[in-house]
Amino acid sequence: MLLAIRPESGLLNVDAKGEFSLKEAKRTFIEMLEAVALHKTNKVLFDGRKLIGKPEIMERFYYGEFAARAVWDFAERGVSPATRFAYVLREPVLDPGRFGETVAVNRGMAVKAFDNPEEALQWLGIAPANSRMQPTANRSA
C-alpha cells in the first residue's frame, strides 16, 4: 500500500492505493500517525477508494484494535486521542457492517467509515471545496 499525504489547514489528506494487507495497513497507519504528529492536526481524511482486496472479518478486527491502540500510544508524541479519522472506501474494502470501525470506536478512537468524501468532510466539520459554488438557476421551458 502506498500513501500520498498532504497537510492542509487543520486537515491531513491521505490518499491510499494498492492491495490491502493487514501488515501494510498497520505500517501505513503508523506512517499516517507520524504525519499527524508532525503537522499537529486533529482531523484526517483517508481516501482509500483506490485500494483493492477483501479484508477478512478478523483482519478488520485486528486493524481496528491496532489503530485505536496506536492513537493512544502516539499521545506522548502530540497526537490527541480525540483526533478524528474519516475513511472513504469502496466495497469490499469498505465493510457494509462497519465492523472494524465499531472495534476502534469501542476502544476510544474517533473514526467513521464512509462511501463518499462529502459525508466524510461533513463529519470532520470541513466544508467541501465546492460548497462556495453558486446554486444553479432553475430553468423553465
Side-chain angles (χ1 to χ4, degrees), residues 42-130:
N42 62 357
K43 296 177 183 179
V44 177
L45 178 63
F46 180 93
D47 188 344
R49 292 176 290 173
K50 292 181 182 173
L51 290 174
I52 59 171
K54 186 176 181 184
E56 299 293 326
I57 192 79
M58 287 310 297
E59 290 177 308
R60 295 179 192 282
F61 174 85
Y62 290 133
Y63 180 74
E65 182 180 59
F66 171 84
R69 186 175 53 248
V71 169
W72 286 98
D73 290 347
F74 266 71
E76 65 189 36
R77 296 194 44 200
V79 174
S80 168
T83 299
R84 294 175 75 115
F85 293 83
Y87 280 74
V88 181
L89 304 165
R90 291 199 171 115
E91 290 183 31
V93 177
L94 174 65
D95 176 14
R98 308 296 199 269
F99 182 59
E101 173 187 317
T102 300
V103 169
V105 167
N106 286 346
R107 285 157 179 77
M109 186 176 176
V111 61
K112 193 159 175 61
F114 300 89
D115 61 6
N116 70 76
E118 293 78 19
E119 288 180 17
L121 286 168
Q122 183 178 8
W123 182 77
L124 288 170
I126 306 282
N130 64 358

Side-chain angles (χ1 to χ4, degrees), residues 122-140:
Q122 183 178 8
W123 182 77
L124 288 170
I126 306 282
N130 64 358
S131 65
R132 296 185 192 113
M133 293 175 59
Q134 297 295 322
T136 55
N138 291 335
R139 293 184 177 165
S140 48

